[in-house]
Amino acid sequence: MMETYWEPVWLTLKLATMTTLILAVVGTPIAWWLARSQHWLRQPIAAVVALPLVLPPTVLGFYLLLLLGPKGVVGQLTEQLGLGLLPFTFEGLVVASVISSLPFTVQPLQNAFIGINNQLLEVAATLRASPMDRFITVVIPLARPGFLTAAVLTFAHTIGEFGVILMIGGNIPGETKVLSVAIYDHVEAIEYTQAHWLAGGMVVFSFVVLVALYSLNGRVHSGMMK
Amino acid sequence: MFTFNRLISRFIAAALLFFMASLAGAEPLRIAVAANFTDTTRDLIALFEETTGHSVAASYGSTGKLFAQIENGAPFDVFQAADSARPEMLENSGSAVSGSRFTYARGKLALWSPETNVFSDPASWLASADFKRLAIANPKTAPYGLAAQQVLKNLSLWDALQPRLVRGDSIAQTFQFVATSNAQAGFVALSQVNAWQNSNGTLWVVPQQMYAPIDQQAVLLSHGKDKPVARQWLDFLRSPQALNLMKDDGYDIAD
């Protein structure tokens, strides 16, 4: 019994961790570009990044199912690359979560980057710091609250992801049956006790994460964390 | 500017009229219908509205989900499940009017793929496991999923096929997995295949003796017990017109 409880929990944590890490790598350059570039494509790309916030999960799920399926462009590509098809796999959930959580990484980072004083970067440049060097030694420390917020929001949003996963996951135990789907399943099967264990745990977990985030960010703002 | 103002005032007048009309008219009959019966219900509603003048608002979902919603106070007047167990539970718990329960249709299970010539002998095709994904509805919440489980157990393939099974939340989602070719084939309701326009795929109507009858039962809910139109709808479900429509869509009629 305990095993069936932990399996979706473990799967969900794995999914959220992987999504957060991937988005940290993918989202940072996007956020930096959006914060600094004057290119005419800036607004359209900002809109594309924000789309998952606006679109219902059913829209994302439906198009992912078509795109990643055997007749979809991406599906045909992944099959040719020998990766097989992504729907109903853990990897497919990672792809879906990266897309649906993208704005939760990019937007806090973008705000943090906008807030960084350009003069500091210019001073670093006159000290012959390379662009990469400037980014690592100046930008990242200054944008730390932004990185923290982005990571927590992305992680939390992925944990709470439901609609998209329901549509492309296929509810496979140990592979795509994440926490939100497991809870939904228990409720539908009138197993309220089991649903309470998972759902109640979820409420406590989310509360703890948010309190931790607020107090950490508070300390950063008041200069206690240097 | 003048025409613009006039446009606005006309719009407001129209909105007011619409609002008053909706106040004056009785609130519509609200029915909760198992997902497999979606297409048939749409036709039935059109027929019912045409002959009686009453309007019907239907919500579709898996039997399990609708049951949970009703148990928790969803304002439905009639429940048309895809099984008999859940309407019976509602009757016992007092959420439904006792004695109002009856079988309105008997569902037929089909193994279906949208591609042609996928299998000629379904049992040996299933046993060969020459496919990546087979879609079924969640046996815990969807009666068609339970029937699919019984068929696979009958063929002694249930355990062997576990890694290849994807479970749709309802029979509608299961159908969607197959229709988008993300699963090579799936156990769906025959009525869904009949309603699908590109119907030249591969189809096996599973023999009735391989699964327990899918007796789809309807019940009058407590919320609708004082609504004459609710009883009228339940009577309509038993009318020859309605039964013919169901037969055409791929349902058996209960004895």
Side-chain angles (χ1 to χ4, degrees):
Chain A
M1 200 64 211
M2 246 13 233
E3 224 171 274
T4 56
Y5 277 122
W6 284 113
E7 201 173 56
V9 173
W10 164 239
L11 202 61
T12 307
L13 291 176
K14 196 167 93 175
L15 178 67
T17 308
M18 283 187 72
T19 305
T20 309
L21 290 177
I22 291 172
L23 275 178
V25 175
V26 177
T28 306
I30 298 177
W32 181 252
W33 185 81
L34 286 175
R36 298 277 143 170
S37 174
Q38 299 299 325
H39 200 273
W40 62 274
L41 272 174
R42 198 173 69 91
Q43 312 296 1
I45 288 183
V48 169
V49 169
L51 269 181
L53 279 178
V54 181
L55 293 175
T58 39
V59 173
L60 289 181
F62 175 57
Y63 282 127
L64 283 174
L65 200 58
L66 290 179
L67 268 179
L68 305 179
K71 287 177 185 146
V73 183
V74 182
Q76 282 172 351
L77 185 74
T78 54
E79 272 200 313
Q80 269 173 7
L81 294 173
L83 299 170
L85 291 172
L86 288 173
F88 317 129
T89 64
F90 180 76
E91 291 74 22
L93 295 195
V94 174
V95 170
S97 301
V98 164
I99 292 171
S100 77
S101 292
L102 182 65
F104 293 88
T105 298
V106 170
Q107 294 194 343
L109 282 182
Q110 192 184 335
N111 287 336
F113 292 158
I114 287 172
I116 288 173
N117 191 338
N118 237 338
Q119 278 184 330
L120 290 173
L121 293 174
E122 281 158 13
V123 169
T126 55
L127 295 173
R128 298 206 183 147
S130 68
M132 201 44 158
D133 198 4
R134 272 175 273 163
F135 192 80
I136 291 170
T137 55
V138 181
V139 176
I140 290 184
L142 285 174
R144 199 149 111 186
F147 275 101
L148 190 65
T149 308
V152 172
L153 282 182
T154 304
F155 192 84
H157 181 253
T158 309
I159 286 200
E161 185 60 73
F162 174 63
V164 175
I165 285 169
L166 190 70
M167 285 194 75
I168 70 156
N171 201 350
I172 302 167
E175 176 92 16
T176 61
K177 187 174 187 168
V178 296
L179 196 54
S180 56
V181 174
I183 293 171
Y184 179 72
D185 235 32
H186 283 311
V187 174
E188 284 219 339
I190 332 173
E191 297 161 350
Y192 290 164
T193 316
Q194 290 92 322
H196 273 309
W197 273 109
L198 291 176
M202 190 72 220
V203 172
V204 172
F205 172 80
S206 308
F207 178 76
V208 169
V209 165
L210 288 176
V211 168
L213 173 71
Y214 291 144
S215 47
L216 268 177
N217 256 355
R219 267 163 62 198
V220 172
H221 285 309
S222 57
M224 281 168 67
M225 214 166 85
K226 278 278 159 75
Chain B
M1 210 56 203
F2 170 72
T3 47
F4 182 69
N5 276 338
R6 210 166 63 176
L7 203 71
I8 295 231
S9 54
R10 275 198 192 164
F11 176 77
I12 291 173
L16 269 175
L17 265 176
F18 182 77
F19 178 68
M20 289 189 312
S22 64
L23 276 184
E27 62 171 308
L29 173 68
R30 287 184 199 285
I31 60 176
V33 183
N36 73 86
F37 213 63
T38 306
D39 293 297
T40 310
T41 305
R42 291 208 176 108
D43 295 340
L44 287 172
I45 288 176
L47 195 62
F48 183 77
E49 289 184 335
E50 200 179 297
T51 46
T52 66
H54 291 294
S55 66
V56 182
S59 300
Y60 306 99
S62 74
T63 296
K65 168 162 54 209
L66 295 170
F67 171 85
Q69 291 176 345
I70 292 164
E71 275 283 70
N72 291 292
F76 295 118
D77 304 313
V78 167
F79 180 35
Q80 285 172 246
D83 67 358
S84 54
R86 285 179 177 84
E88 196 180 345
M89 285 164 79
L90 288 173
E91 225 180 27
N92 292 337
S93 72
S95 299
V97 177
S98 63
S100 66
R101 188 164 56 89
F102 69 97
T103 304
Y104 61 95
R106 190 162 281 166
K108 286 194 205 169
L109 187 70
L111 179 66
W112 175 68
S113 167
E115 286 149 55
T116 46
N117 303 320
V118 175
F119 48 80
S120 51
D121 178 3
S124 56
W125 181 74
L126 287 170
S128 75
D130 190 20
F131 48 84
K132 251 186 249 149
R133 302 289 184 194
L134 181 72
I136 66 167
N138 189 343
K140 273 162 81 182
T141 57
Y144 281 86
L146 186 66
Q149 186 183 40
Q150 289 163 352
V151 172
L152 290 176
K153 280 191 170 164
N154 251 328
L155 295 168
S156 308
L157 293 171
W158 177 248
D159 293 321
L161 285 180
Q162 277 309 308
R164 291 165 199 267
L165 291 184
V166 288
R167 289 167 187 80
D169 165 48
S170 68
I171 197 68
Q173 202 191 8
T174 311
F175 189 84
Q176 175 194 320
F177 286 162
V178 187
T180 57
S181 299
N182 278 296
Q184 278 70 18
F187 282 100
V188 297
L190 178 62
S191 53
Q192 294 177 302
V193 182
N194 288 344
W196 180 247
Q197 36 311 42
N198 328 357
S199 51
N200 44 351
T202 317
L203 180 71
W204 175 46
V205 181
V206 183
Q208 178 62 71
Q209 60 271 23
M210 294 184 77
Y211 59 97
I214 306 174
D215 276 344
Q216 305 202 179
Q217 291 207 326
V219 73
L220 178 63
L221 299 173
S222 304
H223 188 268
K225 70 173 186 294
D226 298 323
K227 279 190 177 176
V229 59
R231 287 174 202 272
Q232 214 177 329
W233 171 261
L234 289 172
D235 287 339
F236 168 71
L237 287 180
R238 283 175 279 205
S239 71
Q241 270 178 308
L243 294 179
N244 276 334
L245 216 152
M246 294 180 206
K247 244 186 246 171
D248 287 347
D249 283 358
Y251 290 96
D252 266 345
I253 301 308
D255 340 294

